[in-house]
Amino acid sequence: MGLKLFNTLSRSVQEFTPLDPAGKKVGIYCCGPTVYDFAHIGNWRTFVFGDLVRRTLEFKGYAVTHVMNITDVEDKIIKRVWETKTSLREFTGKYEAAFLEDLKTLNCLLPHHTPHATEHIPEIISLIEKLVRRGIAYKAADSSVYFSIEKYRGCGCTYGQLLKLNFDEMKAGERVKSDEYAKESVADFALWKARVPEDGDVFWPSPFGEGRPGWHIECSAMSMKVLSETFDLHLGGEDLIFPHHEDEIAQSEGATGKPFVKHWLHGAHLLVEGKKMSKSLGNFFTLRDLLAKGFNGREIRYSLLTAHYRETFNFTLEGLQGARAALARIDECLGKLREIANQPLTRPADTLSPPGGERDGARGASKLISDFTAALDDDLNISAAWGAVFEWVRETNRRLAENSLSAAEATAALTAWNKIDSVLGIGAPAEPEVPAELNALLEARQTARKAKDFKRSDAIRGELKAKGWVIEDTPKGPKLKKI
Ligand SMILES: [Zn+2]
């Protein structure tokens, strides 16, 4: 069965088919962070969702090119740069580094390309020039360049492909209320913003005069440059549908005359403790706030992956506790499977279990993969996917309790799990850090062994055990492991 996804363009669930004639390559563009602050948990829901889409496509055998832009010039950034009296690069560099670190904490795969708006000014300018040449963009009295929705629609193009828009309500009646009063219609949006004193050093020369790009044009220019004028999949949070994504379509299709994106995917909002996140309500969390509360990236990732991407998700601290308990159940089961898989010849099940038992085990592993795949194929039905995982954990625990799993079955089960986890990305729990004094004891034991002082080496082993650590021989030498 093929992968089915909800396409915001058709407002329906449809089979995903890439543009690549061979059906192998897929290009994804995900609107990335505006690097003016630490990303909050609502932003992270969207980025983890993007990661899930990419991992699912890779799981299905596609060769994915994943692009996520870094918005490093935009109104909010310029305001903060002005307020903090720093340089643009210094200011955005700090938050970009934090974003990439957080991405890693949540075990999101690093996109293959992370283009920066400030490094694509020539591409942005040439895209605007194309729109001006086609008569869809115009330079206004304030020297900014705007996109004309009326001219675009006049060419037979549709503005409002993702969202049905009421153009009567968007007419220029509210022009006085708009701070961008120089544009011809209130619905028009800026492609190039003319330099103003508050921009400080943040401006570039252009054929339209000094200034800087608007936010929407950045994404059109970078996605088409890195992928192509038409690409497979564009995703982002539902708050970006209008105007950001609608404007991306208008700019791109207005310039090329070709369809911009085949599938549009949007992730739903997130509530925190049942309410819209806000600093005044005390329910505004960055990823770092949650880490400071003692949760880890694995637990937060798990929690964000429990709800379907098109459902509003209520993120709670209690839910994070639940994530911790669920992960512990999985870890315990995997730990036991590893023990059995690593002791192939000492298991009674290896000699006693009838051949049928092994077939049961293999069936369990292949059922996990087929149920999990069927759930993802159904518009990324993550609840059903977790359902398949926990059913498998229950069944595996039952077999473990009756001591009827062979080493070969345990190995097959672990292989199946690893395949599933290439999508879920929850990995293994972090190894606890070994205190320095215990590593010194381990070294002393090695020295004693080399000197054939086995009495001393045994005493150190006993001392380590009393402190809750055992020595494990690995190909890289002995290591300490928490009991
Ligand atoms: Zn974007």
Side-chain angles (χ1 to χ4, degrees):
M1 196 171 94
L3 175 64
K4 291 197 172 75
L5 296 169
F6 184 87
N7 187 350
T8 317
L9 265 184
S10 64
R11 294 165 188 84
S12 64
V13 175
Q14 62 184 73
E15 180 127 6
F16 174 78
T17 47
L19 293 158
D20 172 28
K24 296 256 189 295
K25 292 183 198 152
V26 176
I28 309 180
Y29 185 89
C30 177
C31 288
T34 300
V35 281
Y36 73 102
D37 209 339
F38 297 110
H40 58 65
I41 196 66
N43 303 134
W44 285 114
R45 182 183 187 198
T46 305
F47 297 129
V48 169
F49 158 56
D51 186 62
L52 174 72
V53 172
R54 171 190 166 170
R55 284 171 178 267
T56 300
L57 289 165
E58 287 177 343
F59 175 76
K60 302 282 297 177
Y62 293 110
V64 177
T65 303
H66 181 196
V67 186
M68 183 193 276
N69 67 301
I70 305 285
T71 300
D72 59 353
V73 56
E74 181 267 356
D75 292 356
K76 290 190 285 288
I77 294 176
I78 291 175
K79 192 166 172 273
R80 296 273 180 96
V81 166
W82 177 260
E83 285 164 2
T84 54
K85 301 196 177 5
T86 41
S87 73
L88 180 71
R89 194 164 286 269
E90 195 186 336
F91 180 81
T92 58
K94 178 183 155 190
Y95 290 109
E96 183 183 340
F99 174 78
L100 295 175
E101 201 182 305
D102 290 356
L103 204 63
K104 220 168 146 188
T105 301
L106 288 170
N107 201 24
C108 291
L109 299 174
L110 194 67
H112 302 101
H113 302 270
T114 47
H116 293 69
T118 57
E119 289 165 9
H120 290 80
I121 301 293
E123 287 84 354
I124 292 169
I125 290 173
S126 88
L127 188 57
I128 299 173
E129 283 184 305
K130 229 181 213 178
L131 290 166
V132 172
R133 270 200 309 274
R134 289 190 144 213
I136 301 172
Y138 61 93
K139 189 170 172 179
D142 67 351
S143 289
S144 293
V145 181
Y146 292 97
F147 185 94
S148 166
I149 295 194
E150 202 184 318
K151 299 270 168 50
Y152 177 68
R153 293 180 75 208
C155 299
C157 298
T158 308
Y159 186 79
Q161 296 188 27
L162 299 169
L163 201 71
K164 286 198 170 58
L165 294 166
N166 183 341
F167 286 93
D168 293 335
E169 280 181 10
M170 291 170 70
K171 283 272 155 60
E174 292 189 40
R175 189 179 294 178
V176 273
K177 286 187 196 161
S178 168
D179 48 2
E180 288 165 344
Y181 49 83
K183 59 192 182 180
E184 288 169 5
S185 162
V186 75
D188 293 355
F189 56 91
L191 300 169
W192 188 260
K193 299 188 176 193
R195 182 184 173 191
V196 291
E198 293 76 23
D199 290 346
D201 294 339
V202 185
F203 65 89
W204 287 264
S206 86
F208 334 106
E210 287 174 342
R212 60 188 169 92
W215 172 40
H216 313 309
I217 196 81
E218 298 177 3
C219 278
S220 282
M222 290 188 281
S223 60
M224 291 200 289
K225 183 188 176 203
V226 184
L227 293 167
S228 57
E229 289 180 345
T230 303
F231 59 90
D232 295 297
L233 228 159
H234 193 314
L235 58 85
E238 65 181 359
D239 52 326
L240 296 187
I241 293 178
F242 182 79
H244 185 56
H245 288 163
E246 209 63 75
D247 290 350
E248 276 190 44
I249 295 175
Q251 294 160 157
S252 306
E253 299 192 355
T256 68
K258 297 176 189 166
F260 178 42
V261 171
K262 196 171 175 196
H263 296 255
W264 281 90
L265 249 68
H266 291 98
H269 283 306
L270 172 144
L271 298 173
V272 177
E273 307 289 348
K275 295 198 175 78
K276 195 166 180 267
M277 202 169 29
S278 87
K279 283 186 176 155
S280 60
L281 286 175
N283 67 347
F284 183 98
F285 298 125
T286 64
L287 180 67
R288 283 139 197 259
D289 294 333
L290 296 165
L291 298 178
K293 285 183 182 295
F295 296 104
N296 62 38
R298 239 181 135 222
E299 290 157 355
I300 299 163
R301 180 181 175 93
Y302 176 94
S303 186
L304 291 175
L305 280 179
T306 49
H308 189 265
Y309 73 95
R310 287 195 285 122
E311 275 169 17
T312 302
F313 174 51
N314 185 21
F315 183 85
T316 64
L317 296 181
E318 202 184 317
L320 279 180
Q321 295 286 358
R324 183 170 290 177
L327 287 170
R329 278 186 64 203
I330 296 173
D331 291 342
E332 196 189 342
C333 178
L334 294 174
K336 285 181 187 159
L337 284 174
R338 280 189 201 105
E339 264 175 42
I340 296 172
N342 289 334
Q343 298 165 11
L345 297 172
T346 56
R347 297 271 311 149
D350 281 313
T351 49
L352 299 176
S353 157
E358 192 144 315
R359 282 202 299 274
D360 275 358
R363 206 156 46 223
S366 68
K367 184 175 172 0
L368 169 65
I369 293 181
S370 63
D371 289 356
F372 184 84
T373 309
L376 289 178
D377 280 348
D378 178 20
D379 192 27
L380 305 175
N381 185 344
I382 198 76
S383 313
W386 284 116
V389 168
F390 284 105
E391 194 188 311
W392 172 77
V393 168
R394 243 187 327 272
E395 178 57 16
T396 306
N397 282 340
R398 189 186 65 74
R399 298 282 312 276
L400 286 165
E402 64 183 31
N403 207 23
S404 69
L405 266 182
S406 70
E409 285 176 300
T411 305
L414 288 169
T415 306
W417 167 257
N418 288 339
K419 202 161 171 355
I420 296 302
D421 196 43
S422 71
V423 179
L424 298 173
I426 58 169
E431 293 276 331
E433 218 156 284
V434 182
E437 71 266 23
L438 298 190
N439 269 328
L441 271 177
L442 182 66
E443 259 179 52
R445 177 180 172 267
Q446 286 307 99
T447 314
R449 277 168 68 91
K450 271 186 199 142
K452 301 206 184 312
D453 183 354
F454 296 114
K455 203 173 153 197
R456 168 102 181 108
S457 109
D458 284 350
I460 295 175
R461 177 188 284 271
E463 192 181 338
L464 285 166
K465 199 170 176 192
K467 289 184 192 310
W469 296 78
V470 286
I471 300 164
E472 214 178 52
D473 285 312
T474 74
K476 288 180 184 166
K479 272 177 75 176
L480 286 175
K481 200 180 159 214
K482 194 113 178 94
I483 297 171

